[in-house]
Amino acid sequence: MKTIKIGVLVSGSGTNLQAIIDAINSGKIKNASIVIVISSRKDAYALVRAQNAGIKALFIDPNEYNYKNDIAPYSKKLLEELEKEDVDLVCLAGFLLKLSPEFVVAFKGRILNIHPALLPAFGGKGMYGRRVHEAVLAAGVRFSGATVHFVDEEYDHGPIVLQAVVPVLQDDTPEALAERVLKEEHKIYPESIRLFCEGKLEIRGNKVYIKE
Ligand code: GRF
């Protein structure tokens, strides 16, 4: 089987990145290697995790690319760095910025994201981190979870690969719920990547078929 080169984009603590690194090291994902980790934040602990694992780690500052006025130049820079490393699959793991349509086209069907809720509910612009779990609690739903999906041009949108469900408890706090969801994220993200790397995911329209 061909070794799939993965590029991971991060902005935060990188526990999902760690779960992917661990799944590769333990042989759960057999034919993949993370060739580059890029962070949009200088102080992201994910960068330390990458360095500890001996993976090339870059901080690329969105402000240097005028990201607030135009998202395209920053995405172009990311694209250049990923293409330099011959990346086959891009994994967004707690990456907070929007990618340009050009980026999405360049890696069409080859970008995965993880979201800490059951999409299409509780996603979209501004729905990240604690805010997602606050919205879930405010809505009074009984279940939440995590979603791995292919990325298209919209926020938190695109064909769904795997989801995991967790209960919402009556006395939940956003932190407690986040922790419960995160545990599931660490299972379904590596598993989705394994399926991708083994060529078992097929996108048909807006759905993903798993060929196991
Ligand atoms: C996770 O909850 C992920 O779903 C969301 O951001 C968080 C990142 O956590 N997109 P980490 O950086 O992987 O620890």
Side-chain angles (χ1 to χ4, degrees):
M1 234 181 310
K2 178 187 177 227
T3 298
I4 303 296
K5 294 183 185 166
I6 301 177
V8 185
L9 304 185
V10 296
S11 304
S13 71
T15 63
N16 277 292
L17 167 67
Q18 191 65 55
I20 302 165
I21 293 172
D22 294 347
I24 292 172
N25 290 344
S26 71
K28 269 188 204 144
I29 305 173
K30 291 189 179 64
N31 59 321
S33 118
I34 303 176
V35 293
I36 187 167
V37 170
I38 305 176
S39 173
S40 64
R41 285 196 184 159
K42 196 177 182 180
D43 59 355
Y45 189 68
L47 285 171
V48 177
R49 293 180 193 272
Q51 280 153 5
N52 288 344
I55 300 165
K56 176 174 174 182
L58 296 181
F59 159 58
I60 305 180
D61 189 351
N63 296 322
E64 273 181 33
Y65 293 84
N66 194 25
Y67 177 83
K68 281 196 183 112
N69 295 311
D70 180 5
I71 63 169
Y74 187 63
S75 286
K76 190 164 176 271
K77 171 68 179 166
L78 296 180
L79 197 57
E80 277 167 22
E81 293 298 335
L82 295 165
E83 282 176 345
K84 230 191 266 175
E85 298 299 329
D86 227 355
V87 161
D88 301 300
L89 171 68
V90 178
C91 293
L92 312 184
F95 184 69
L96 294 177
L97 304 181
K98 197 169 194 302
L99 297 165
S100 69
E102 292 79 11
F103 185 105
V104 175
V105 167
F107 275 99
K108 198 167 169 43
R110 297 187 297 142
I111 312 170
L112 290 174
N113 180 43
I114 182 132
H115 184 75
L118 295 173
L119 292 176
F122 306 108
K125 199 171 184 325
M127 271 293 195
Y128 59 86
R130 192 189 157 90
R131 291 192 210 174
V132 178
H133 306 295
E134 282 171 351
V136 165
L137 293 179
V141 294
R142 297 293 188 193
F143 294 95
S144 188
T147 304
V148 176
H149 65 96
F150 283 103
V151 170
D152 65 13
E153 283 84 353
E154 288 173 55
Y155 265 112
D156 297 326
H157 195 265
I160 290 170
V161 181
L162 293 178
Q163 291 187 305
V165 177
V166 304
V168 177
L169 306 181
Q170 303 219 141
D171 54 356
D172 252 345
T173 60
E175 290 73 25
L177 178 57
E179 203 183 308
R180 202 173 308 125
V181 170
L182 201 56
K183 270 194 197 138
E184 296 304 317
E185 294 184 36
H186 297 161
K187 293 179 202 159
I188 63 169
Y189 210 1
E191 176 60 4
S192 301
I193 293 169
R194 179 187 74 78
L195 290 167
F196 179 94
C197 292
E198 293 180 7
K200 289 182 174 152
L201 299 180
E202 190 184 314
I203 302 173
R204 291 191 216 154
N206 63 351
K207 287 190 195 168
V208 176
Y209 283 77
I210 299 175
K211 303 181 280 182
E212 281 270 56

